[in-house]
Amino acid sequence: QVQVVESGGGSVQAGGSLRLSCTASGRTGGRYTMGWFRQAPGKERVFVAVIDWSGGTTNYADSVNGRFTISRDNAENTVYLHMNSLRPEDTAVYYCAASVYGPYQTVMAGDPRGYDYWGQGTQVTVSS
């Protein structure tokens, strides 16, 4: 069992920045590919960014590419989502997820079916 916990959400004006954090714990020696997803009110959950366990490979949704950066500190079992140039359309609940068993290509493509453990989410609100 892996526990995933997000933090760092909040409210910010358009053009501002936020950093989300996600810790994954519970599986000794585990190496997880970690992803961020978001869900706006009345919409489905969508992929935002993913980073493999080594931190060497990342992938981003087109809507955030160039504005968001995903990174990780394996010594701290923590993944970060640095969000810059935020827009009102970035408003959503942001979820962190860990993949233990999912096929690599599926997971790195941002397919939520490849992720095994999910956090409870953290709210990000961007005002215009």
Side-chain angles (χ1 to χ4, degrees):
Q1 188 72 15
V2 176
Q3 292 78 44
V4 178
V5 179
E6 308 96 337
S7 62
S11 298
V12 65
Q13 289 191 326
S17 300
L18 280 175
R19 187 185 76 168
L20 304 182
S21 300
C22 171
T23 58
S25 60
R27 190 167 182 263
T28 302
R31 295 177 174 176
Y32 324 118
T33 294
M34 301 293 295
W36 285 97
F37 294 76
R38 66 187 182 187
Q39 186 168 18
K43 297 187 177 181
E44 64 181 23
R45 191 174 302 187
V46 296
F47 166 72
V48 174
V50 58
I51 187 167
D52 72 354
W53 71 268
S54 73
T57 302
T58 59
N59 188 29
Y60 297 91
D62 290 343
S63 60
V64 306
N65 198 20
R67 299 187 298 123
F68 291 11
T69 302
I70 189 170
S71 63
R72 69 190 300 160
D73 181 345
N74 284 341
E76 299 294 329
N77 291 326
T78 302
V79 173
Y80 302 99
L81 185 67
H82 307 263
M83 305 185 294
N84 298 318
S85 302
L86 283 161
R87 305 166 180 169
E89 53 264 40
D90 294 318
T91 295
V93 177
Y94 283 71
Y95 296 91
C96 182
S99 175
V100 177
Y101 308 108
Y104 182 79
Q105 290 188 340
T106 298
V107 173
M108 294 304 294
D111 189 332
R113 295 172 295 179
Y115 292 80
D116 307 292
Y117 301 98
W118 293 79
Q120 293 300 307
T122 185
Q123 177 70 46
V124 172
T125 303
V126 184
S127 58
S128 57

